[in-house]
Amino acid sequence: MNENKYIYLSIGIINLLVYIKAVLQQAGPILSSALFILAGIFYAIGQIMPYDKRARFQSTAINIIIGAIILAILSLTADSITNAAAHLILNTTNSSS
Amino acid sequence: MLGYLIQTVLITNEIMLISFGIINAIAYALNDYKLKAIARSFASDIIVSLLLLWLTYAILYSNSFIYSSLDGSFINSTRYSCPESVSYDIFSCIATAFLAGNNYIYYNGRYEPTLADSVNSFLFEMYGLYIAVSAIGDLTINLFVVQVDLYYIMKPIISSLSELIDLLYFSLLSIYIQYTVILYITTISPLLLSIGVILRSIYPLRAIGSVIISAVIAFSIIMSSLYILDLYIYNEQSFILTQNISYYANSADTIYSYIGSNSPTAASYLQAYVESLSNEIYSYMNQIYSYIADVIFQVFVMPTINLIISLSAFRYLSKLLGGFDINLYRLGA
């Protein structure tokens, strides 16, 4: 069995994944801030609408803010969450701990 | 390879976390229930892939609690006996060491030969016996007016032994095929597992990823670990014939000496001797048949049971992880 062949392929896959991750990590906060702005626009438009439509605009704005907050948190903490998961796996499987 | 697998799974998890965030944000913004369901499936996939990583690490990592719970001498002897390329994977290492390892393996307080070595030595014993019995069968005794051809007395034994030797050769081939299959699966399994995890993180290819992951778990971990069960059954058996082959070679000499003596009483002695010898060989055949049954059980029946269990596990895991429902009965149709 030529294990080197698999190792080179694995390194290639990892490099591709690292690139995709970097793109997403950059896109996440940008999208999050765009959503915050969008939520603000929706909220502002809601203010000038009659009261029945205002409620709908405001609830949409709150929904967008919730999504944006979750996206911001996950984009910024994805590394730490994964590291924590890796540490948890190591600690729970290691016999000496 | 284990390091690459862990890196791949962890990076994929990071990608899935951010993707989950993006899809979730869009789903909330559009208030789309379908997108929310996709986002939830991403969250569950992250948990599943982390659990898979935990399982793989617990099984493959050399310092894991599974290693420390097993007998140290057993583990060391299997590591020394199995090929280096699979020595990091405990179950495949035990399976390959048991089937056709390079050395003796230690279990239950003693060193035992591998299955291939046992079958091989049994084959040599059988071959020796075949030569000895054939030598007796080739004799023709001329007693005054009577000619006795011993071939007709020995014919059933000779033909049985010939067929049993063929069966043992085939058993040996089967052992090496199983050994090669396990070796190949173990070498490619980390790569296949990482490909499965990546495909599972892409929503349209989720089912294919699940099938690949379940195939790797079923054939790399479950099938290899089932060989440990075989090892403990094998522990009770050893294919050593009670009577030495040289006894039958001496018998041929004794018959020659009777023929050469030309004594008037030699004919009755020879008749009695040949009768007792053939009776003994027939009873000896019972022991051989019981050993052959053990060989068939260990080389053909137990691996078939392992394969059936692994295929069932593959099907069940595939359904559990959200893959296709693989109906094994309809595969041929």
Side-chain angles (χ1 to χ4, degrees):
Chain A
M1 312 280 166
N2 186 7
E3 208 177 333
N4 283 342
K5 191 171 65 184
Y6 299 120
I7 290 171
Y8 290 134
L9 191 58
S10 303
I11 292 169
I13 291 169
I14 289 168
N15 285 340
L16 179 71
L17 288 173
V18 168
Y19 177 73
I20 295 168
K21 190 195 84 175
V23 170
L24 286 172
Q25 263 183 333
Q26 284 179 348
I30 295 166
L31 187 65
S32 174
S33 45
L35 284 171
F36 269 113
I37 295 163
L38 193 70
I41 293 166
F42 266 78
Y43 193 81
I45 294 168
Q47 291 299 320
I48 54 167
M49 289 284 173
Y51 69 94
D52 57 326
K53 283 190 178 174
R54 187 188 302 167
R56 202 185 291 171
F57 269 85
Q58 281 181 356
S59 64
T60 308
I62 289 165
N63 273 339
I64 294 170
I65 287 171
I66 292 168
I69 290 170
I70 294 170
L71 176 57
I73 292 170
L74 287 177
S75 305
L76 297 173
T77 60
D79 275 332
S80 338
I81 292 171
T82 315
N83 283 340
H87 281 292
L88 189 71
I89 288 166
L90 266 174
N91 291 337
T92 50
T93 52
N94 200 331
S95 58
S96 55
S97 63
Chain B
M1 286 303 277
L2 186 60
Y4 297 119
L5 168 70
I6 291 162
Q7 269 191 24
T8 313
V9 175
L10 289 176
I11 297 167
T12 313
N13 273 335
E14 279 187 52
I15 293 170
M16 284 170 79
L17 269 173
I18 303 166
S19 311
F20 164 65
I22 293 170
I23 294 168
N24 207 39
I26 297 166
Y28 267 95
L30 301 174
N31 203 15
D32 189 326
Y33 291 103
K34 210 173 172 183
L35 270 180
K36 278 182 185 174
I38 293 173
R40 272 201 299 277
S41 77
F42 262 75
S44 67
D45 283 357
I46 292 165
I47 295 165
V48 169
S49 64
L50 283 176
L51 278 173
L52 283 173
L53 186 63
W54 185 89
L55 187 76
T56 317
Y57 214 69
I59 291 166
L60 302 184
Y61 180 46
S62 57
N63 203 20
S64 80
F65 60 89
I66 293 181
Y67 272 91
S68 60
S69 64
L70 290 164
D71 182 10
S73 307
F74 171 63
I75 293 297
N76 285 337
S77 67
T78 48
R79 265 199 198 141
Y80 187 63
S81 182
C82 73
E84 210 180 323
S85 60
V86 295
S87 60
Y88 68 88
D89 180 347
I90 180 169
F91 291 136
S92 300
C93 183
I94 292 170
T96 47
F98 159 63
L99 285 170
N102 307 321
N103 222 308
Y104 280 64
I105 41 175
Y106 181 90
Y107 57 88
N108 276 6
R110 62 177 192 274
Y111 281 92
E112 289 285 340
T114 63
L115 189 59
D117 282 347
S118 295
V119 174
N120 211 2
S121 56
F122 184 37
L123 180 65
F124 271 103
E125 283 198 56
M126 290 282 287
Y127 201 64
L129 183 66
Y130 177 75
I131 290 167
V133 172
S134 301
I136 297 170
D138 276 348
L139 296 176
T140 307
I141 306 163
N142 290 308
L143 295 167
F144 308 110
V145 288
V146 184
Q147 188 179 4
V148 181
D149 200 346
L150 287 184
Y151 177 73
Y152 294 105
I153 300 169
M154 295 296 173
K155 190 185 171 187
I157 301 169
I158 293 168
S159 59
S160 303
L161 283 176
S162 163
E163 281 167 17
L164 294 178
I165 286 168
D166 285 350
L167 185 70
L168 282 177
Y169 271 120
F170 191 63
S171 305
L172 210 55
L173 182 70
S174 166
I175 291 170
Y176 280 104
I177 288 171
Q178 289 171 49
Y179 173 86
T180 313
V181 166
I182 291 173
L183 210 63
Y184 181 72
I185 289 174
T186 313
T187 313
I188 63 162
S189 64
L191 183 71
L192 273 183
L193 195 60
S194 42
I195 290 170
V197 169
I198 293 163
L199 289 178
R200 201 166 186 276
S201 65
I202 304 165
Y203 194 76
L205 305 173
R206 195 166 174 265
I208 300 170
S210 302
V211 170
I212 293 173
I213 290 170
S214 47
V216 170
I217 294 173
F219 295 109
S220 169
I221 297 170
I222 296 174
M223 197 168 83
S224 303
S225 62
L226 285 170
Y227 276 93
I228 297 174
L229 188 73
D230 298 8
L231 180 71
Y232 278 91
I233 292 167
Y234 166 70
N235 187 21
E236 304 296 321
Q237 317 290 339
S238 59
F239 310 115
I240 297 159
L241 298 173
T242 49
Q243 217 146 26
N244 204 311
I245 300 305
S246 59
Y247 171 80
Y248 293 98
N250 290 339
S251 300
D253 287 347
T254 314
I255 292 169
Y256 273 119
S257 68
Y258 277 126
I259 295 164
S261 68
N262 278 331
S263 153
T265 52
S268 57
Y269 276 125
L270 188 65
Q271 187 195 2
Y273 187 77
V274 168
E275 268 179 22
S276 73
L277 182 67
S278 51
N279 280 337
E280 202 167 323
I281 290 173
Y282 274 113
S283 65
Y284 190 49
M285 288 300 282
N286 289 336
Q287 192 190 4
I288 291 171
Y289 277 122
S290 81
Y291 282 161
I292 290 285
D294 287 338
V295 170
I296 290 170
F297 186 72
Q298 283 166 19
V299 179
F300 299 107
V301 179
M302 288 304 287
T304 311
I305 294 169
N306 293 352
L307 191 66
I308 291 167
I309 295 171
S310 309
L311 284 170
S312 309
F314 171 44
R315 193 184 171 196
Y316 180 73
L317 281 170
S318 176
K319 268 163 73 178
L320 192 76
L321 294 173
F324 307 117
D325 182 11
I326 299 154
N327 195 337
L328 300 166
Y329 304 106
R330 288 183 190 166
L331 279 182

